[in-house]
Amino acid sequence: MSYLNIVRRRLLLLVLVVIGVSIVTFAISHMIPGDPARMMAGERASNELVAQMRAKLGLDRPLYEQYLTYAGDLLRGDLGISIRTQRPVADDILRFFPATIELALAAMIFAIVLGIPLGVISAVAKDRAIDQITRTLSVTGISTPAFWLGLLLIYLFYGRLEWLPGSGRLDSALTPPPFVTGFYTLDALFAGDGKAFVSAVQHLLLPALTLGFLHLGIVTRQIRSAMLEVLTEDYIRTAKASGLSRRRILFDHALRNALIPSVTMIGLAFGDLLYGAVLTETVYAWPGMGNYVVQSINALDFPAIMGFTVVASTAYVLLNLFVDLTYMLLDPQIRGVG
Amino acid sequence: MRLNLKAMLLGAAALLATAIAGPLSASAAGDPNTLVVGKAGDVDSMDPAVTVTNNSWTVTYPAYERLVKFKVENGKGSTEVEGDVAKSWTVSDDGLQWTFTLNDGHKFADGSPVDAAAIKYSFDRLFKVAKGPSETVGPVTEVQVVDPHTVKFILKEPFGPFLAGLATNGACIVSPAAQQHEKDGDLGQAYLAEHTLGSGPYQVTSWEKDQQVVMEVNPNYAGPAPSFKKVIVKIIKEASARRLQLEKGDIDIAEDLPVDQFDALKKADGVTVVDEPSFQVTYLYLNNTRKPLDDVRVRQAISYAVDYKGIIDGILLGNGVQMRGPVPEGLWGHDDASFQFTTNAAKAKQLLADAGVKDLKLGYLYSKKDPNWESIGLVLQQNLAAIGITVEMQEFAYPTMREKLNSSDFDIAAGNWTPDYGDPYMFMNYWFDSDLHGLPGNRAFYTNPKVDELIRKAATAANVEERKKIYAEAQKIVIEEAPYVLLFQANYQVAIRSDVKGFVYNPMTLQMFNFETMSRAQ
């Protein structure tokens, strides 16, 4: 099958997945006992006022009717109005999603940049002291609660050393750069605002480190085991025999092949990062999706919960597609098999 | 594809170096012109006709003015009101017409005058939007412009707490300029959700969602120019992060910290902890419609079994007092002479025996919304076990708990209550009127026609002395009949940098600060 066909088929699948997810979430969120109309009217509002409100929000209509209206709006790109914030859900998501992605990307970059070399070193030095240290580190990473690590880092770098700020995305006194990507670091660069860039990077460092540490362990472990496997392959022995330098064998041949199975894992780990950002965002008062969703759930803010689910599942499916395409790029054999 | 590890590592190192070497820009706190407040939750909506949360009121309260405001006496806030935009007022003999004469010189941030037309516009809008806040203000049927300086409110029925209601957030006066921002007949709700159009000392100039709200002085403010030119409200969810930033001087006020953190902060340098009795009460709803809780003796037995002091000392670390009657201490209508249940297991057992109740099992409904509720339940479990009642802990998500409360699906449930305005109406009429069964207020599903009659009479009587007398009579009955277990009135605590002066505490305006009269000692 051609590359293009695969993409086409996967995009169709994406639409089906999103429809399915939206139906399930819609059903679940409307079956949970609770009353968003009362949430809006205030806890002790009279029952009449709450009934009026429910009618205004359309919550008194049959569930399938509510869903059809929702789906119709969704097709037009309208995610509805948030019950809690009274703003269009799409606007809210556009504001909070980039913050989370920026954080997750930074965390991933940290995990990859440090995790790949550590994994390689660990594999090459199998069972030696450095391998033991790296393995301990990765187990620690995987098992450390983000919340605890976050507080520890804040205490150390903000409270004691005073190197880095303790919360938020930008210093209070600075104005956020004009919206281009929604990533403060990139937008500050585009705007040529050096101060904002430095402040944005400073604010990003600790949360990214916290979130990334967990995945550093995963990446290191994955690369290590993939490398160990690859290093026993025939072609490596052949390469060694033919007198290629150790460096070229390791990086050009071994690592490249070890990366193939790792790509999927890293891609999926990125998806986990999006969800795992919730606790990190709380500790660092990082205004991202995690915060938004938790608040929306507490307020039974259906349009917001739905909007997030639809956008997140789309992102997740797209990410998977991207991973698979990268995979094919790395391993031409798969393209042939298709 | 060639992976250039060296370049990647170098890049990362460079980024790290830039960040660490770059100066941590001087923070706004400590600046005589700027005040920084750290809050646990963001503003929801800034529209005073929509929002019902204290988090939003932190911003709307100083951005808008109202006809009346709470009096400040000797640096303490009181629950009595005095004129703000209104200079004076009269009420007709039948209590149905309130006429307000306005002060000159009050202007909106946009420069237009706060006149009778603007007041009519605001209240008409409030009732047309018809959300939660419209109920607090009272049974207004019409607002009339008599002349630019005079405005008249017509009520459906006499309403004792009317004036008190005009000091609440729903009664904010909004500039008629909001009409220019109407979209699809939304009465400007989309715009006002994110902007302020008021005549208060401050106006919102920027709002980065979930991050911070920046307020700057309203150049047309009628009162004396505020000392702080700028107020930054920062959202910092994690309590220990808020505390740390306060200790470092990055924020000036830290709200909503757990009691043990306040205890530690009291010893910290440069920080003052304000610790005052609040009107927030914590109590238990006993479902009066369920057997055997419909028997007054069983309810009294439970009230005698609870270890009040143990709860206050153990859970609040002593930062509260046991309630005496439903109206909290500090609010008029509170009766210091009224009966208070004390822990007396023997008496409780006797009452249960009289009622012929044996091997009783009751559920305790609570959620994680207030972390104290679980601890209270555990104490209750122990206390009631001592008199032979088994308590089963039933934890639910808060929305589900609310649903169960509203539909009377519980035995005992935990609850908190704060008044919207400083009037015993907020306690007596909400808690005991049989028309308000369920979430609207009477969460014990208590019914007593005599009490109904008394509290309704008290609500419509115009004279405060008369109202006091009637409420006292009603209180006697409801304390005796014990539909609720009255646990405690918690202290309100907030931590402030010691160089910030002029904070006025008012139990009616929790989380709403008098920024305009605060300053930093030089």
Side-chain angles (χ1 to χ4, degrees), chain A residues 105-119:
Chain A
L105 269 178
M108 202 74 229
I109 289 171
F110 165 75
I112 291 175
V113 166
L114 220 63
I116 291 178
L118 276 181

Side-chain angles (χ1 to χ4, degrees), chain A residues 7-26:
Chain A
V7 173
R8 208 175 290 145
R9 210 176 57 179
R10 293 292 296 267
L11 284 177
L12 183 74
L13 192 69
L14 180 140
V15 174
L16 292 176
V17 167
V18 171
I19 292 175
V21 165
S22 76
I23 291 177
V24 171
T25 322
F26 196 87

Side-chain angles (χ1 to χ4, degrees), chain A residues 54-321:
Chain A
R54 198 173 299 131
K56 223 190 264 181
L57 294 168
L59 293 168
D60 54 346
R61 291 181 300 146
L63 202 57
Y64 74 93
E65 231 180 276
Q66 290 185 49
Y67 178 74
L68 287 181
T69 316
Y70 182 82
D73 289 344
L74 188 63
L75 282 179
R76 285 190 297 276
D78 179 1
L79 294 175
I81 304 281
S82 154
I83 291 173
R84 182 174 60 90
T85 67
Q86 295 284 300
R87 290 188 296 265
V89 172
D91 286 9
D92 280 348
I93 290 180
L94 201 64
R95 190 165 293 276
F96 294 123
F97 217 61
T100 298
I101 300 208
E102 184 180 35
L103 173 59
L105 269 178
M108 202 74 229
I109 289 171
F110 165 75
I112 291 175
V113 166
L114 220 63
I116 291 178
L118 276 181
V120 172
I121 292 167
S122 197
V124 172
K126 186 167 176 278
D127 293 335
R128 298 223 297 270
I130 190 149
D131 179 37
Q132 305 287 4
I133 294 169
T134 311
R135 277 159 66 188
T136 313
L137 192 75
S138 68
V139 171
T140 315
I142 291 165
S143 51
T144 306
F147 202 76
W148 183 82
L149 182 65
L151 286 176
L152 190 78
L153 290 182
I154 288 187
Y155 181 73
L156 187 66
F157 288 99
Y158 167 73
R160 285 272 137 161
L161 300 170
E162 303 191 5
W163 285 3
L164 292 166
S167 79
R169 287 182 83 186
L170 205 62
D171 194 85
S172 297
L174 299 174
T175 336
F179 186 97
V180 183
T181 59
F183 296 1
Y184 278 11
T185 46
L186 286 186
D187 288 357
L189 281 183
F190 291 146
D193 187 344
K195 252 191 180 158
F197 174 73
V198 171
S199 179
V201 174
Q202 283 173 339
H203 281 80
L204 184 57
L205 275 175
L206 288 186
L209 207 68
T210 305
L211 190 57
F213 191 59
L214 175 89
H215 288 270
L216 171 65
I218 300 177
V219 171
T220 308
R221 224 153 70 162
Q222 168 72 25
I223 292 288
R224 179 180 179 275
S225 67
M227 277 298 274
L228 282 177
E229 200 170 309
V230 169
L231 286 175
T232 59
E233 299 277 344
D234 287 346
Y235 65 86
I236 297 291
R237 240 172 296 156
T238 316
K240 269 185 192 159
S242 64
L244 277 175
S245 77
R246 194 177 155 78
R247 201 176 145 273
R248 280 203 63 184
I249 294 171
L250 274 182
F251 291 101
D252 286 0
H253 297 273
L255 180 59
R256 190 176 154 161
N257 285 295
L259 274 178
I260 295 172
S262 307
V263 164
T264 315
M265 189 276 312
I266 291 173
L268 292 177
F270 187 74
D272 289 347
L273 276 177
L274 291 182
Y275 290 98
V278 178
L279 285 180
T280 314
E281 285 179 7
T282 308
V283 181
Y284 289 99
W286 188 263
M289 260 348 263
N291 264 331
Y292 181 72
V293 172
V294 169
Q295 286 181 53
S296 304
I297 291 174
N298 287 336
L300 280 186
D301 187 344
F302 298 142
I305 298 170
M306 288 293 302
F308 168 75
T309 314
V310 168
V311 171
S313 55
T314 310
Y316 205 86
V317 178
L318 279 177
L319 191 74
N320 266 308
L321 175 63

Side-chain angles (χ1 to χ4, degrees), chain B residues 302 305-306 345 349 352 360 377-392:
Chain B
I302 294 173
V306 172
K349 275 187 199 158
L352 279 186
L360 183 55
L378 294 170
V379 174
L380 187 73
Q381 208 167 32
Q382 239 179 7
N383 293 163
L384 293 193
I387 61 164
I389 300 177
T390 314
V391 173
E392 187 202 345

